Amino acid sequence: MVWGAKYQLEKLFNESLKITFPEELDVDPAIAPCQNPKLGDYQCNNAMGLWAKVKGKGTQFRGPQQIGQAIIESLPKSDVIESLSIAGPGFVNVKLSNHWIAESIHKMLVHGIEIWAPKLPVKRALVDFSSPNIAKEMHVGHLRSTIIGDTLARMLEYSNVEVLRRNHVGDWGTLFGMLIEYLFEKVHYSKVNDLTIGDLETFYKASNLRYYSDPVFEEKAQQAVVSLQTGDKRYLDAWSHICEISRKEFEKVYQRLGVDLEEKGESYYNPFIPLALEQLRGKGLIKKDKKGADAIFIEEKKSSLTVVKSNGGYNYASTDLTALWYRLNVEKAEWILYVTDVGQSEHFEKFLTVGKQAGWYSDEDKRYPKVSHVIFGLVLGEDGKKLRTRSSETVKLVDLLDEAKSRCKAALIERGKHNEWTAEELEKTAEAVGYGAVKYYELKNNRTTNYTFNYDQMLSDKVWCNTAVNLVYAHARICSIIEKSGKDIEKLNKTGKLDLINSHERMLGLHVAQFPEAVEEVWKNLLPNVLCEYLYKLTECFNKFYTDCQVIRSAEEESRLLLCEATAVVMRQCFYLLGITPVYKL
Ligand code: ARG
């Protein structure tokens, strides 16, 4: 069952359009929030388009206004609508019934917010996100992927979709040849166990330099790749140790962020590569290029994609093609979402086009399986350049989270919370607010754009600032209002009556009831910032309501408490979807 008002209106207007224009069966109802909220809550925008279609073709209508009127007249009776009016050239304005809004909120309170979950036409999806590279530290770009990917996965899960949360770590290729060879030179292989992630970074950089300046080393490193790929135990052991060291480090970050991921790195697909390439060969897609490499020509891009290098080695593209094949055919994912920076667009466009050429999937609208490349921009420093530390290193994720947490803790101590709370409460709140702020600062931006990293903006508690700090505190404030009332809210949810009488109550109620639409809107363009905007506006509506309406010991106490509770429930669901931990007291 879908409860959203927009959905209900679409159904009603659809019926009316079919009656008014039986010959225009392909016209979908165009319902949008009303441009002028004084005139209504929603508007139906079909009249003008229909007029353009039927004008001069012997129609009984004399203009869009009249069409609007006819649409109103054919609208089935419904308790969703309070009143209807026509504005300008045939826009039909709809005011929802207060009773219906209150009723739908009340149903949500009784049955849980799950009843507001959207229906998606897939049962299983795969989100490829985070995906850092072994032997390197996770950087702020991986933070974007981790946070955006986790939110999309949470939103899919909320919609009852089974999600394979895939960490496609970079754990294969030439890099490991040079790294292991260098390690064997510097440390005895039995000591590889004792290395730290910092050592690995240093060795990685040094081995990289050697590789490009010392031909003898280059040769040895390439040989090492072969040893690794053919399963030489010494090399394989060193490789697993290196992976394990990195894995532990990544895990620390995921644990702090509360992000769940299942690793199937590049190496996982290695044994399947010949199988996937065989499929492409069978379709006549693979040809030898001038350099003797196996490549796939991509006509619409006037370019080609190398899948087997001239020395017989595989590459990033062969792995991604194989992973795509595996995910569609073995894991049976109906929707695959890849969350990476925009810099990888060309690679993705190429191998995904090959997947289509092979007939593995199609990107026709509404056809499944479907594949989406969810891109994001750069994180910039105050200087407008890619975020770096003072020593010009890329910023480490762990440091960034530590900093956010410690700044929040300092702010709480300044407000004297260390005297009121236990040390554990202080720690937990600083964590919830600090990490929540990092995530929200990331998610509130349209992911396709670059954004500038700034701790002060991210952690500000100034009332006008759109930060997680303010949102989390707003939620805590609502909880304390409910607590102060001394009422058993669970009981009230079931027995109390919700009325939306004055304008602030109505505005808040309407916005609460629009939660399902905000979630649906996110799916249109895979933009989590739409949910952040919704959440921010929800707090604004709540603040207006609370300034204007007394809750405790007012004549409307019960009803208003229910409205507070509904706001808190929706806020918590938004937090959950955004991966933010709520706080219950201030
Ligand atoms: N390891 C890559 C990087 O750090 C991201 C991998 C993204 N996923 C994929 N299937 N290619 O840039």
Side-chain angles (χ1 to χ4, degrees), residues 128 131-133 142 168 170 316 320 327 338 340 344 347-348:
D128 174 323
S131 309
N133 298 316
H142 294 121
H168 190 82
Y316 193 41
D320 257 326
R327 291 162 179 184
Y338 293 91
T340 82
Q344 299 202 30
H347 162 75
F348 274 88

Side-chain angles (χ1 to χ4, degrees), residues 89-101:
F91 298 119
V92 178
N93 294 320
V94 183
K95 195 155 189 281
L96 299 177
S97 117
N98 288 8
H99 179 72
W100 185 83
I101 301 173

Side-chain angles (χ1 to χ4, degrees), residues 365-385:
D365 204 24
K366 297 187 179 146
R367 275 271 300 271
Y368 292 88
K370 156 171 145 175
V371 177
S372 309
H373 185 206
V374 183
I375 53 153
F376 55 82
L378 292 176
V379 182
L380 306 175
E382 292 296 337
D383 55 2
K385 299 199 187 116

Side-chain angles (χ1 to χ4, degrees), residues 445-503:
N445 292 291
N446 179 314
R447 61 173 168 78
T448 60
T449 58
N450 297 343
Y451 75 91
T452 305
F453 197 88
N454 179 309
Y455 282 114
D456 293 330
Q457 277 176 19
M458 184 171 92
L459 297 167
S460 171
D461 59 359
K462 302 259 182 331
V463 275
W464 59 84
C465 286
N466 181 3
T467 58
V469 182
N470 280 336
L471 298 171
V472 166
Y473 288 164
H475 170 261
R477 205 169 309 122
I478 302 177
C479 293
S480 77
I481 297 168
I482 297 172
E483 199 186 306
K484 268 195 209 124
S485 77
K487 290 270 167 14
D488 178 347
I489 198 73
E490 293 296 324
K491 209 165 129 204
L492 202 60
N493 280 347
K494 302 205 170 71
T495 55
K497 187 164 176 330
L498 176 63
D499 284 316
L500 302 170
I501 295 169
N502 76 31
S503 65

Side-chain angles (χ1 to χ4, degrees), residues 131-196:
S131 309
N133 298 316
I134 299 287
K136 297 192 201 169
E137 297 243 21
M138 276 172 98
H139 55 72
V140 70
H142 294 121
L143 177 73
R144 290 202 86 170
S145 177
T146 309
I147 295 174
I148 297 169
D150 181 51
T151 292
L152 293 174
R154 283 166 182 263
M155 295 190 73
L156 284 162
E157 284 152 359
Y158 173 52
S159 307
N160 276 316
V161 176
E162 180 198 350
V163 182
L164 308 176
R165 296 163 153 265
R166 199 58 78 235
N167 201 0
H168 190 82
V169 296
D171 63 354
W172 208 237
T174 328
L175 182 153
F176 290 92
M178 56 194 201
L179 182 61
I180 297 174
E181 205 47 53
Y182 191 81
L183 274 180
F184 284 171
E185 255 184 51
K186 298 285 165 199
V187 250
H188 191 262
Y189 64 83
S190 63
K191 294 266 167 17
V192 174
N193 263 1
D194 308 332
L195 296 171
T196 65

Side-chain angles (χ1 to χ4, degrees), residues 12-63:
L12 294 169
F13 277 89
N14 193 34
E15 280 190 44
S16 162
L17 288 171
K18 299 289 166 278
I19 299 168
T20 327
F21 288 92
E23 66 285 4
E24 303 286 347
L25 286 174
D26 59 336
V27 176
D28 286 329
I31 310 293
C34 203
Q35 280 178 2
N36 180 353
K38 284 198 189 109
L39 299 178
D41 303 315
Y42 290 87
Q43 61 187 48
C44 167
N45 295 333
N46 288 91
M48 284 225 317
L50 281 165
W51 173 241
K53 275 192 166 185
V54 299
K55 188 172 153 189
K57 294 187 186 150
T59 173
Q60 45 162 327
F61 298 110
R62 267 174 285 127

Side-chain angles (χ1 to χ4, degrees), residues 277-331:
L277 294 187
E278 210 36 60
Q279 292 238 346
L280 300 172
R281 242 182 266 282
K283 298 211 156 80
L285 290 171
I286 301 183
K287 306 249 154 50
K288 278 264 178 261
D289 73 5
K290 282 182 220 128
K291 292 183 201 142
D294 283 351
I296 299 171
F297 186 63
I298 305 169
E299 199 163 329
E300 56 240 77
K301 306 239 173 294
K302 298 261 169 296
S303 63
S304 67
L305 183 70
T306 304
V307 288
V308 186
K309 293 188 275 188
S310 49
N311 67 3
Y314 300 131
N315 58 13
Y316 193 41
S318 13
T319 306
D320 257 326
L321 268 170
T322 307
L324 174 66
W325 171 84
Y326 185 89
R327 291 162 179 184
L328 290 167
N329 295 290
V330 182
E331 298 186 301

